[in-house]
Amino acid sequence: MGSWLFTLLIEVISFLRMTNQAPPKIRLYVPQPFAEGSSLTLTDGQSHYLAHVMRVREGMAVAVFNGIDGQWWADVTAVAKKSVTLELRHCMAAQRNTPDVWLAFAPIKNKTDLVIEKAVELGVSALLPVYTQHSVVKSINREKLLAHAIEAAEQCERHDVPAIEEHKDVSHLLAAWPKDRVLLYADESGSGENLKTLLPALPQGRFGILVGPEGGFSTEEHHILKLMPQVKAFGMGPRILRADTAAVAALACVQAWLGDWDIRPRFIAA
Amino acid sequence: MGSWLFTLLIEVISFLRMTNQAPPKIRLYVPQPFAEGSSLTLTDGQSHYLAHVMRVREGMAVAVFNGIDGQWWADVTAVAKKSVTLELRHCMAAQRNTPDVWLAFAPIKNKTDLVIEKAVELGVSALLPVYTQHSVVKSINREKLLAHAIEAAEQCERHDVPAIEEHKDVSHLLAAWPKDRVLLYADESGSGENLKTLLPALPQGRFGILVGPEGGFSTEEHHILKLMPQVKAFGMGPRILRADTAAVAALACVQAWLGDWDIRPRFIAA
């Protein structure tokens, strides 16, 4: 009887501790099916991060998302030298996808990580690295860029990680561009429309943004773009923007006008 | 007679060479009065840059601006070991100032240079570093930031360099905020208005943007801001933006809607 009471007491304390716990500060992307009570297998990198960087202990909590099932609460159930085990508790927030906005961009030396990070935070749904006639960067490390996108998604409360497509020639991208997706392209030649008039006139739908490399698009590329019925050329004022600035600035304007910026953040910071 | 003809020939060749010259690719900020035929005194850093980095030679041209007189053509008239001499030829473009938009921001570790660079490109007219109750960065190197702003201005075809104000407590900034300048503040608590509805409703005028540090504003700071009649709080959607991303994204939207993005660039790149 004493032992039964003791067990109950432990359960009650444990329940109170759990419900009193602040929302987990650590967020991890774990692309596995989620179900209450099931365990998650972490990568070596994630285990190392939890055990040795964040120094988690048994009983602590981590928020996890898999891109499909929303954000879940997971308890740390074991911390070994090389692996950390998480057990799923309950769904904290239903899945919320980012707006359907792609960003096609010519990777820029030393600035590609920056574009990925900012684009993920600003809610891009897919990243499409391209090379153009004036591109300097002709190859990318896609695995590394994806790792960077995951890290940014974990830090910005997204429930999904944008796809990073294969690096391809812009002419191939344009040849296969979906008929029902508007392509907003940053026309550095000065013949594009002002975003202020262009964006509010577009109906809701699927969008893509295309930003060229440092040297701009070639005459031939401008010509091909102008012939496509899905294309809307836009300008961003009298100053010459770096390619990475142009990508971030254009995405911000598109998200503000056509994206989900009317939704408020879930956590109040102050 | 032969010598006279020869001199004329030299003059004609020299004139043709000059008029055939492509616009200078190098741009320098030289804050001195400009007048046709007068010489410019460069700093040691500028002389070193021209002579040893860009390897200019006598007869080559440099574009210069001083923040008042527009963009001028200057000829390199002497290249010595430690100094380069420029002589002003003619005004290439009349002065064009950036829109009157200030950016007040809490400097972020390792990201302040990035905010300066992007803000200058996006046409900010003044940068106002502040510290807030949650600020981690409490001091800045203003000289270094100004050097960074000058470099960005030289590269983006601006005719002016934004002022960089003294680093000050945000409460002092707000206490002295001009009555006729709208202050758009990034309210990460979620109670701000959507930029899409806020910006088009504002009349043309003087603006300022305020973006807080990583930890957001304190409850007290939010409270003070909400009491100011010049203040309009805005949100940027459901994701948590890093402070540097928020500053760049907000400035892009403000310039697109209230700034000078209806002006086209002067040079056509393609």
PDB file of all heavy atoms in Angstrom, chain B residues 173-200:
ATOM      1  N   LEU B 173      17.329  57.427 -28.059  1.00  0.00           N
ATOM      2  CA  LEU B 173      16.905  57.608 -29.455  1.00  0.00           C
ATOM      3  C   LEU B 173      15.422  57.967 -29.514  1.00  0.00           C
ATOM      4  O   LEU B 173      15.021  58.906 -30.205  1.00  0.00           O
ATOM      5  CB  LEU B 173      17.147  56.317 -30.247  1.00  0.00           C
ATOM      6  CG  LEU B 173      16.683  56.352 -31.712  1.00  0.00           C
ATOM      7  CD1 LEU B 173      17.754  56.983 -32.586  1.00  0.00           C
ATOM      8  CD2 LEU B 173      16.337  54.963 -32.235  1.00  0.00           C
ATOM      9  N   LEU B 174      14.615  57.221 -28.758  1.00  0.00           N
ATOM     10  CA  LEU B 174      13.159  57.414 -28.820  1.00  0.00           C
ATOM     11  C   LEU B 174      12.749  58.748 -28.209  1.00  0.00           C
ATOM     12  O   LEU B 174      11.855  59.424 -28.711  1.00  0.00           O
ATOM     13  CB  LEU B 174      12.440  56.252 -28.121  1.00  0.00           C
ATOM     14  CG  LEU B 174      12.674  54.875 -28.761  1.00  0.00           C
ATOM     15  CD1 LEU B 174      11.899  53.803 -28.015  1.00  0.00           C
ATOM     16  CD2 LEU B 174      12.328  54.869 -30.246  1.00  0.00           C
ATOM     17  N   ALA B 175      13.451  59.140 -27.136  1.00  0.00           N
ATOM     18  CA  ALA B 175      13.114  60.411 -26.474  1.00  0.00           C
ATOM     19  C   ALA B 175      13.324  61.592 -27.419  1.00  0.00           C
ATOM     20  O   ALA B 175      12.612  62.587 -27.346  1.00  0.00           O
ATOM     21  CB  ALA B 175      13.958  60.571 -25.218  1.00  0.00           C
ATOM     22  N   ALA B 176      14.320  61.444 -28.320  1.00  0.00           N
ATOM     23  CA  ALA B 176      14.636  62.554 -29.228  1.00  0.00           C
ATOM     24  C   ALA B 176      14.089  62.317 -30.631  1.00  0.00           C
ATOM     25  O   ALA B 176      14.479  62.998 -31.585  1.00  0.00           O
ATOM     26  CB  ALA B 176      16.156  62.738 -29.278  1.00  0.00           C
ATOM     27  N   TRP B 177      13.204  61.336 -30.797  1.00  0.00           N
ATOM     28  CA  TRP B 177      12.728  61.002 -32.153  1.00  0.00           C
ATOM     29  C   TRP B 177      11.921  62.157 -32.738  1.00  0.00           C
ATOM     30  O   TRP B 177      11.000  62.660 -32.091  1.00  0.00           O
ATOM     31  CB  TRP B 177      11.872  59.730 -32.116  1.00  0.00           C
ATOM     32  CG  TRP B 177      11.620  59.196 -33.492  1.00  0.00           C
ATOM     33  CD1 TRP B 177      10.521  59.421 -34.270  1.00  0.00           C
ATOM     34  CD2 TRP B 177      12.507  58.380 -34.273  1.00  0.00           C
ATOM     35  NE1 TRP B 177      10.660  58.792 -35.487  1.00  0.00           N
ATOM     36  CE2 TRP B 177      11.869  58.151 -35.517  1.00  0.00           C
ATOM     37  CE3 TRP B 177      13.769  57.836 -34.051  1.00  0.00           C
ATOM     38  CZ2 TRP B 177      12.464  57.378 -36.534  1.00  0.00           C
ATOM     39  CZ3 TRP B 177      14.362  57.072 -35.053  1.00  0.00           C
ATOM     40  CH2 TRP B 177      13.713  56.859 -36.267  1.00  0.00           C
ATOM     41  N   PRO B 178      12.232  62.595 -33.966  1.00  0.00           N
ATOM     42  CA  PRO B 178      11.526  63.747 -34.549  1.00  0.00           C
ATOM     43  C   PRO B 178      10.012  63.500 -34.648  1.00  0.00           C
ATOM     44  O   PRO B 178       9.569  62.410 -34.996  1.00  0.00           O
ATOM     45  CB  PRO B 178      12.138  63.855 -35.949  1.00  0.00           C
ATOM     46  CG  PRO B 178      13.436  63.126 -35.878  1.00  0.00           C
ATOM     47  CD  PRO B 178      13.264  62.053 -34.859  1.00  0.00           C
ATOM     48  N   LYS B 179       9.278  64.542 -34.373  1.00  0.00           N
ATOM     49  CA  LYS B 179       7.809  64.450 -34.378  1.00  0.00           C
ATOM     50  C   LYS B 179       7.249  64.139 -35.768  1.00  0.00           C
ATOM     51  O   LYS B 179       6.182  63.544 -35.878  1.00  0.00           O
ATOM     52  CB  LYS B 179       7.212  65.784 -33.895  1.00  0.00           C
ATOM     53  CG  LYS B 179       7.292  65.978 -32.388  1.00  0.00           C
ATOM     54  CD  LYS B 179       6.272  66.980 -31.904  1.00  0.00           C
ATOM     55  CE  LYS B 179       6.081  66.906 -30.401  1.00  0.00           C
ATOM     56  NZ  LYS B 179       7.350  66.975 -29.631  1.00  0.00           N
ATOM     57  N   ASP B 180       7.972  64.591 -36.813  1.00  0.00           N
ATOM     58  CA  ASP B 180       7.423  64.449 -38.170  1.00  0.00           C
ATOM     59  C   ASP B 180       7.993  63.239 -38.907  1.00  0.00           C
ATOM     60  O   ASP B 180       7.911  63.159 -40.124  1.00  0.00           O
ATOM     61  CB  ASP B 180       7.706  65.721 -38.966  1.00  0.00           C
ATOM     62  CG  ASP B 180       9.206  65.971 -39.126  1.00  0.00           C
ATOM     63  OD1 ASP B 180      10.011  65.321 -38.408  1.00  0.00           O
ATOM     64  OD2 ASP B 180       9.580  66.805 -39.960  1.00  0.00           O
ATOM     65  N   ARG B 181       8.636  62.316 -38.162  1.00  0.00           N
ATOM     66  CA  ARG B 181       9.213  61.139 -38.823  1.00  0.00           C
ATOM     67  C   ARG B 181       8.516  59.888 -38.314  1.00  0.00           C
ATOM     68  O   ARG B 181       8.571  59.574 -37.128  1.00  0.00           O
ATOM     69  CB  ARG B 181      10.727  61.068 -38.546  1.00  0.00           C
ATOM     70  CG  ARG B 181      11.450  59.955 -39.310  1.00  0.00           C
ATOM     71  CD  ARG B 181      12.946  59.965 -39.052  1.00  0.00           C
ATOM     72  NE  ARG B 181      13.626  61.103 -39.655  1.00  0.00           N
ATOM     73  CZ  ARG B 181      14.107  61.118 -40.897  1.00  0.00           C
ATOM     74  NH1 ARG B 181      14.016  60.049 -41.650  1.00  0.00           N
ATOM     75  NH2 ARG B 181      14.694  62.199 -41.372  1.00  0.00           N
ATOM     76  N   VAL B 182       7.859  59.163 -39.225  1.00  0.00           N
ATOM     77  CA  VAL B 182       7.173  57.918 -38.852  1.00  0.00           C
ATOM     78  C   VAL B 182       8.209  56.868 -38.457  1.00  0.00           C
ATOM     79  O   VAL B 182       9.208  56.691 -39.153  1.00  0.00           O
ATOM     80  CB  VAL B 182       6.324  57.403 -40.039  1.00  0.00           C
ATOM     81  CG1 VAL B 182       5.733  56.026 -39.733  1.00  0.00           C
ATOM     82  CG2 VAL B 182       5.221  58.394 -40.382  1.00  0.00           C
ATOM     83  N   LEU B 183       7.984  56.212 -37.329  1.00  0.00           N
ATOM     84  CA  LEU B 183       8.902  55.154 -36.897  1.00  0.00           C
ATOM     85  C   LEU B 183       8.209  53.793 -37.038  1.00  0.00           C
ATOM     86  O   LEU B 183       7.260  53.480 -36.319  1.00  0.00           O
ATOM     87  CB  LEU B 183       9.330  55.375 -35.444  1.00  0.00           C
ATOM     88  CG  LEU B 183      10.217  54.266 -34.834  1.00  0.00           C
ATOM     89  CD1 LEU B 183      11.466  54.027 -35.681  1.00  0.00           C
ATOM     90  CD2 LEU B 183      10.632  54.630 -33.414  1.00  0.00           C
ATOM     91  N   LEU B 184       8.692  53.020 -38.015  1.00  0.00           N
ATOM     92  CA  LEU B 184       8.150  51.681 -38.257  1.00  0.00           C
ATOM     93  C   LEU B 184       8.970  50.719 -37.417  1.00  0.00           C
ATOM     94  O   LEU B 184      10.184  50.591 -37.623  1.00  0.00           O
ATOM     95  CB  LEU B 184       8.292  51.349 -39.739  1.00  0.00           C
ATOM     96  CG  LEU B 184       7.573  52.338 -40.678  1.00  0.00           C
ATOM     97  CD1 LEU B 184       8.179  52.295 -42.064  1.00  0.00           C
ATOM     98  CD2 LEU B 184       6.091  52.015 -40.724  1.00  0.00           C
ATOM     99  N   TYR B 185       8.336  50.057 -36.471  1.00  0.00           N
ATOM    100  CA  TYR B 185       9.167  49.186 -35.633  1.00  0.00           C
ATOM    101  C   TYR B 185       8.752  47.722 -35.745  1.00  0.00           C
ATOM    102  O   TYR B 185       7.576  47.387 -35.780  1.00  0.00           O
ATOM    103  CB  TYR B 185       9.228  49.723 -34.202  1.00  0.00           C
ATOM    104  CG  TYR B 185       8.469  48.994 -33.126  1.00  0.00           C
ATOM    105  CD1 TYR B 185       9.092  47.971 -32.387  1.00  0.00           C
ATOM    106  CD2 TYR B 185       7.166  49.342 -32.816  1.00  0.00           C
ATOM    107  CE1 TYR B 185       8.396  47.334 -31.373  1.00  0.00           C
ATOM    108  CE2 TYR B 185       6.473  48.712 -31.803  1.00  0.00           C
ATOM    109  CZ  TYR B 185       7.097  47.701 -31.079  1.00  0.00           C
ATOM    110  OH  TYR B 185       6.411  47.073 -30.076  1.00  0.00           O
ATOM    111  N   ALA B 186       9.778  46.881 -35.870  1.00  0.00           N
ATOM    112  CA  ALA B 186       9.581  45.443 -36.059  1.00  0.00           C
ATOM    113  C   ALA B 186       9.174  44.854 -34.717  1.00  0.00           C
ATOM    114  O   ALA B 186      10.003  44.673 -33.831  1.00  0.00           O
ATOM    115  CB  ALA B 186      10.869  44.806 -36.574  1.00  0.00           C
ATOM    116  N   ASP B 187       7.875  44.562 -34.594  1.00  0.00           N
ATOM    117  CA  ASP B 187       7.306  44.095 -33.337  1.00  0.00           C
ATOM    118  C   ASP B 187       7.239  42.567 -33.377  1.00  0.00           C
ATOM    119  O   ASP B 187       6.308  41.979 -33.917  1.00  0.00           O
ATOM    120  CB  ASP B 187       5.911  44.702 -33.187  1.00  0.00           C
ATOM    121  CG  ASP B 187       5.234  44.250 -31.908  1.00  0.00           C
ATOM    122  OD1 ASP B 187       5.828  43.435 -31.172  1.00  0.00           O
ATOM    123  OD2 ASP B 187       4.114  44.711 -31.649  1.00  0.00           O
ATOM    124  N   GLU B 188       8.261  41.942 -32.786  1.00  0.00           N
ATOM    125  CA  GLU B 188       8.351  40.478 -32.865  1.00  0.00           C
ATOM    126  C   GLU B 188       7.338  39.798 -31.949  1.00  0.00           C
ATOM    127  O   GLU B 188       7.217  38.570 -31.953  1.00  0.00           O
ATOM    128  CB  GLU B 188       9.779  40.005 -32.566  1.00  0.00           C
ATOM    129  CG  GLU B 188      10.168  39.987 -31.087  1.00  0.00           C
ATOM    130  CD  GLU B 188      10.372  41.374 -30.484  1.00  0.00           C
ATOM    131  OE1 GLU B 188      10.479  42.353 -31.235  1.00  0.00           O
ATOM    132  OE2 GLU B 188      10.429  41.461 -29.250  1.00  0.00           O
ATOM    133  N   SER B 189       6.582  40.589 -31.157  1.00  0.00           N
ATOM    134  CA  SER B 189       5.602  39.977 -30.251  1.00  0.00           C
ATOM    135  C   SER B 189       4.345  39.530 -30.994  1.00  0.00           C
ATOM    136  O   SER B 189       3.521  38.815 -30.443  1.00  0.00           O
ATOM    137  CB  SER B 189       5.218  40.973 -29.156  1.00  0.00           C
ATOM    138  OG  SER B 189       4.297  41.920 -29.657  1.00  0.00           O
ATOM    139  N   GLY B 190       4.207  39.945 -32.239  1.00  0.00           N
ATOM    140  CA  GLY B 190       3.069  39.478 -33.021  1.00  0.00           C
ATOM    141  C   GLY B 190       1.904  40.448 -33.051  1.00  0.00           C
ATOM    142  O   GLY B 190       0.898  40.179 -33.709  1.00  0.00           O
ATOM    143  N   SER B 191       2.034  41.602 -32.390  1.00  0.00           N
ATOM    144  CA  SER B 191       0.888  42.515 -32.388  1.00  0.00           C
ATOM    145  C   SER B 191       0.990  43.606 -33.454  1.00  0.00           C
ATOM    146  O   SER B 191       0.151  44.495 -33.516  1.00  0.00           O
ATOM    147  CB  SER B 191       0.702  43.132 -30.993  1.00  0.00           C
ATOM    148  OG  SER B 191       1.822  43.922 -30.672  1.00  0.00           O
ATOM    149  N   GLY B 192       2.015  43.537 -34.297  1.00  0.00           N
ATOM    150  CA  GLY B 192       2.181  44.559 -35.335  1.00  0.00           C
ATOM    151  C   GLY B 192       1.303  44.300 -36.551  1.00  0.00           C
ATOM    152  O   GLY B 192       0.781  43.208 -36.741  1.00  0.00           O
ATOM    153  N   GLU B 193       1.187  45.347 -37.365  1.00  0.00           N
ATOM    154  CA  GLU B 193       0.370  45.253 -38.569  1.00  0.00           C
ATOM    155  C   GLU B 193       1.181  44.603 -39.706  1.00  0.00           C
ATOM    156  O   GLU B 193       2.407  44.636 -39.712  1.00  0.00           O
ATOM    157  CB  GLU B 193      -0.045  46.682 -38.968  1.00  0.00           C
ATOM    158  CG  GLU B 193      -1.281  46.743 -39.844  1.00  0.00           C
ATOM    159  CD  GLU B 193      -1.678  48.186 -40.179  1.00  0.00           C
ATOM    160  OE1 GLU B 193      -1.369  49.099 -39.383  1.00  0.00           O
ATOM    161  OE2 GLU B 193      -2.292  48.380 -41.238  1.00  0.00           O
ATOM    162  N   ASN B 194       0.461  44.046 -40.661  1.00  0.00           N
ATOM    163  CA  ASN B 194       1.076  43.482 -41.856  1.00  0.00           C
ATOM    164  C   ASN B 194       1.615  44.625 -42.731  1.00  0.00           C
ATOM    165  O   ASN B 194       0.921  45.615 -42.942  1.00  0.00           O
ATOM    166  CB  ASN B 194      -0.034  42.709 -42.587  1.00  0.00           C
ATOM    167  CG  ASN B 194       0.492  41.884 -43.730  1.00  0.00           C
ATOM    168  OD1 ASN B 194       1.619  42.070 -44.176  1.00  0.00           O
ATOM    169  ND2 ASN B 194      -0.322  40.983 -44.208  1.00  0.00           N
ATOM    170  N   LEU B 195       2.844  44.483 -43.254  1.00  0.00           N
ATOM    171  CA  LEU B 195       3.426  45.547 -44.083  1.00  0.00           C
ATOM    172  C   LEU B 195       2.587  45.833 -45.326  1.00  0.00           C
ATOM    173  O   LEU B 195       2.527  46.957 -45.808  1.00  0.00           O
ATOM    174  CB  LEU B 195       4.853  45.162 -44.502  1.00  0.00           C
ATOM    175  CG  LEU B 195       5.921  45.230 -43.407  1.00  0.00           C
ATOM    176  CD1 LEU B 195       7.217  44.614 -43.889  1.00  0.00           C
ATOM    177  CD2 LEU B 195       6.148  46.672 -42.967  1.00  0.00           C
ATOM    178  N   LYS B 196       1.930  44.791 -45.817  1.00  0.00           N
ATOM    179  CA  LYS B 196       1.121  44.904 -47.044  1.00  0.00           C
ATOM    180  C   LYS B 196      -0.023  45.904 -46.885  1.00  0.00           C
ATOM    181  O   LYS B 196      -0.418  46.567 -47.846  1.00  0.00           O
ATOM    182  CB  LYS B 196       0.561  43.509 -47.356  1.00  0.00           C
ATOM    183  CG  LYS B 196      -0.336  43.421 -48.543  1.00  0.00           C
ATOM    184  CD  LYS B 196      -0.596  41.974 -48.939  1.00  0.00           C
ATOM    185  CE  LYS B 196      -1.594  41.284 -48.022  1.00  0.00           C
ATOM    186  NZ  LYS B 196      -1.990  39.952 -48.591  1.00  0.00           N
ATOM    187  N   THR B 197      -0.576  45.992 -45.678  1.00  0.00           N
ATOM    188  CA  THR B 197      -1.655  46.961 -45.465  1.00  0.00           C
ATOM    189  C   THR B 197      -1.106  48.265 -44.892  1.00  0.00           C
ATOM    190  O   THR B 197      -1.613  49.336 -45.183  1.00  0.00           O
ATOM    191  CB  THR B 197      -2.731  46.394 -44.509  1.00  0.00           C
ATOM    192  OG1 THR B 197      -2.085  45.901 -43.336  1.00  0.00           O
ATOM    193  CG2 THR B 197      -3.490  45.248 -45.154  1.00  0.00           C
ATOM    194  N   LEU B 198      -0.039  48.147 -44.087  1.00  0.00           N
ATOM    195  CA  LEU B 198       0.515  49.337 -43.424  1.00  0.00           C
ATOM    196  C   LEU B 198       1.175  50.301 -44.414  1.00  0.00           C
ATOM    197  O   LEU B 198       0.868  51.501 -44.435  1.00  0.00           O
ATOM    198  CB  LEU B 198       1.524  48.894 -42.352  1.00  0.00           C
ATOM    199  CG  LEU B 198       2.288  49.990 -41.621  1.00  0.00           C
ATOM    200  CD1 LEU B 198       1.335  50.889 -40.848  1.00  0.00           C
ATOM    201  CD2 LEU B 198       3.329  49.390 -40.677  1.00  0.00           C
ATOM    202  N   LEU B 199       2.112  49.788 -45.233  1.00  0.00           N
ATOM    203  CA  LEU B 199       2.931  50.682 -46.051  1.00  0.00           C
ATOM    204  C   LEU B 199       2.141  51.482 -47.092  1.00  0.00           C
ATOM    205  O   LEU B 199       2.349  52.697 -47.208  1.00  0.00           O
ATOM    206  CB  LEU B 199       4.078  49.899 -46.721  1.00  0.00           C
ATOM    207  CG  LEU B 199       5.104  49.275 -45.764  1.00  0.00           C
ATOM    208  CD1 LEU B 199       6.213  48.586 -46.544  1.00  0.00           C
ATOM    209  CD2 LEU B 199       5.695  50.316 -44.816  1.00  0.00           C
ATOM    210  N   PRO B 200       1.225  50.842 -47.857  1.00  0.00           N
ATOM    211  CA  PRO B 200       0.524  51.645 -48.873  1.00  0.00           C
ATOM    212  C   PRO B 200      -0.373  52.729 -48.264  1.00  0.00           C
ATOM    213  O   PRO B 200      -0.748  53.673 -48.946  1.00  0.00           O
ATOM    214  CB  PRO B 200      -0.326  50.610 -49.627  1.00  0.00           C
ATOM    215  CG  PRO B 200       0.314  49.298 -49.343  1.00  0.00           C
ATOM    216  CD  PRO B 200       0.862  49.426 -47.949  1.00  0.00           C
TER     217      PRO B 200
END
